[in-house]
Amino acid sequence: MQVADAWHLWRNIAEAVEKTVGSHHGCIRAAFAETPVLTEAPARTPVTPEPPEPVAVPFVPPDGTLDVLGQPRRLVVRTTERYTAVQALLAEGKALAAIGRTLRLDHSTVRRFARAESLDELLVKATGRLSVLDEHKAYLHGRWLEGCHDIPQLHRELRERGFAGSIQCLRRYFRAFRPARQPGRKQQSVSRPQPRPAPKPRRVVRWIMMNPQHLAAADAAKLKEIRTVCPHLDAAARHVHDFAEMLHHLRGDQLPDWMERDLADDLPALHSLVTGMRRDFDAVTAGLSTPWSSGQVEGHVTRVKLLKRMGYGRANLDLLRQRVLLSP
């Protein structure tokens, strides 16, 4: 009897959730970008007339689509153009092979662009990459809004907080947001709202996949807000929780009902997962119903691969056979 490995089942769920979060990350960015615009307080002394106070434009952290000069990144432009071209040829009824020949793209690349539900799903990996500044961005944004635009000073403060990056990293990050100097007038500090950077897609995936009892209170509040503004991610989180219950309590008999509930929602990535589960339905059911798994087999495969790589170029097949059979 074949038994699907529980670790691989959970990993497949995580990959489907990651695709779903990527497709709907625009909802998350829109929810976290809603910040009121404040104006400066009027001058208290009416001795000399003051010009109209400017409206404070809220500081918007970079979203990863622009370079340090404020121009669209080449990767973003190229991905957008390819996605538009592939979708246009698909609408004309062209096959994937014909599209690849027309655009001179690899078949796997064409398939990835054709299967994407939206452009955000393709851009999320490029624009949502982790950075060495991620853990310090909240502090940086607060200091910037307080009026501290001195990059060397900000770098010294970050070094005291444990930041190991260079000052050029900060210069590139803030280059597009340095205030324009007005000759003959000293710039005044403006009371601005504290921005809320949108969480990266992988962090949202981790929140969804984690046991709610082990989730920090702040992260749980953010996840609740995300599920409120995006019904698709709320449905995905609900399906993940139900699958975790089946996996933990060995309730494989509930798999058909779970698959039907999954197909009832508009979640293409999870639909593809259900299609794959149906092909190996008996193995998946056994993996969710019995304590057995292929973990030991996977361990032996990993051991054999390690022995093979250790002797690559220095041993023949006879020695490799002896090491595989005799090594612990």
Side-chain angles (χ1 to χ4, degrees):
M1 179 181 67
Q2 291 185 349
V3 180
D5 185 57
W7 185 88
H8 286 94
L9 290 176
W10 190 243
R11 178 179 177 83
N12 293 338
I13 290 285
E15 292 176 350
V17 172
E18 184 175 4
K19 293 180 180 179
T20 303
V21 172
S23 300
H24 299 278
H25 196 249
C27 302
I28 302 175
R29 291 197 302 267
F32 279 75
E34 292 180 356
T35 311
V37 179
L38 301 181
T39 58
E40 281 191 61
R44 295 183 179 180
T45 168
V47 177
T48 57
E50 294 289 338
E53 299 295 337
V55 176
V57 180
F59 174 79
V60 180
D63 59 357
T65 59
L66 303 179
D67 58 15
V68 294
L69 299 178
Q71 302 296 326
R73 294 172 54 191
R74 288 190 299 174
L75 177 60
V76 174
V77 174
R78 184 180 62 197
T79 302
T80 304
E81 293 176 350
R82 287 182 176 180
Y83 176 78
T84 304
V86 170
Q87 293 298 326
L89 293 176
L90 280 176
E92 296 176 3
K94 298 291 185 64
L96 297 185
I99 295 176
R101 290 191 298 267
T102 302
L103 302 179
R104 295 186 177 182
L105 296 175
D106 184 73
H107 184 77
S108 59
T109 302
V110 176
R111 183 174 62 245
R112 180 165 57 90
F113 278 83
R115 291 181 177 179
E117 294 298 322
S118 64
L119 181 61
D120 288 340
E121 181 179 339
L122 299 170
L123 292 178
V124 68
K125 290 186 178 181
T127 60
R129 293 175 179 173
L130 300 179
S131 168
V132 293
L133 283 175
D134 284 345
E135 59 179 311
H136 305 285
K137 284 181 179 179
Y139 176 80
L140 282 175
H141 297 167
R143 293 289 289 128
W144 187 271
L145 294 179
E146 292 173 0
C148 181
H149 299 164
D150 187 0
I151 301 300
Q153 174 63 27
L154 292 174
H155 183 253
R156 287 191 294 270
E157 294 178 10
L158 286 193
R159 297 278 294 188
E160 296 176 357
R161 295 169 57 90
F163 177 67
S166 66
I167 191 174
Q168 296 301 327
C169 183
L170 290 181
R171 294 187 191 277
R172 288 192 297 267
Y173 184 74
F174 284 115
R175 183 173 298 176
F177 304 96
R178 295 189 65 86
R181 296 184 178 273
Q182 300 181 5
R185 180 179 179 181
K186 186 178 180 181
Q187 294 188 7
Q188 302 176 358
S189 61
V190 179
S191 176
R192 300 178 181 178
Q194 180 71 22
R196 292 196 311 157
K200 297 296 180 66
R202 289 188 177 180
R203 181 160 297 184
V204 178
V205 173
R206 182 169 62 87
W207 293 344
I208 294 176
M209 301 297 297
M210 184 178 292
N211 188 334
Q213 298 179 355
H214 301 160
L215 199 60
D219 296 339
K222 293 180 180 178
L223 178 60
K224 182 179 180 180
E225 182 179 359
I226 292 172
R227 295 181 62 174
T228 301
V229 300
C230 185
H232 294 85
L233 295 182
D234 178 62
R238 187 170 61 253
H239 294 315
V240 169
H241 179 268
D242 294 342
F243 191 88
E245 289 292 324
M246 285 192 299
L247 186 62
H248 181 70
H249 298 288
L250 301 179
R251 298 173 180 172
D253 57 313
Q254 299 179 359
L255 180 61
D257 294 337
W258 181 85
M259 296 168 69
E260 292 298 329
R261 293 195 303 271
D262 192 350
L263 294 175
D265 292 320
D266 184 18
L267 300 171
L270 290 176
H271 292 180
S272 300
L273 177 65
V274 170
T275 302
M277 287 183 174
R278 283 179 171 174
R279 288 196 294 263
D280 296 325
F281 182 79
D282 293 337
V284 175
T285 303
L288 295 175
S289 304
T290 63
W292 306 103
S293 70
S294 59
Q296 292 183 344
V297 176
E298 296 291 340
H300 284 295
V301 171
T302 301
R303 181 180 66 88
V304 171
K305 288 182 179 179
L306 175 62
L307 294 175
K308 179 182 177 182
R309 289 165 182 164
M310 291 173 60
Y312 181 77
R314 295 177 293 174
N316 58 13
L317 184 60
D318 295 335
L319 179 58
L320 176 63
R321 180 175 182 273
Q322 293 297 323
R323 294 198 62 187
V324 170
L325 294 177
L326 300 179
S327 62

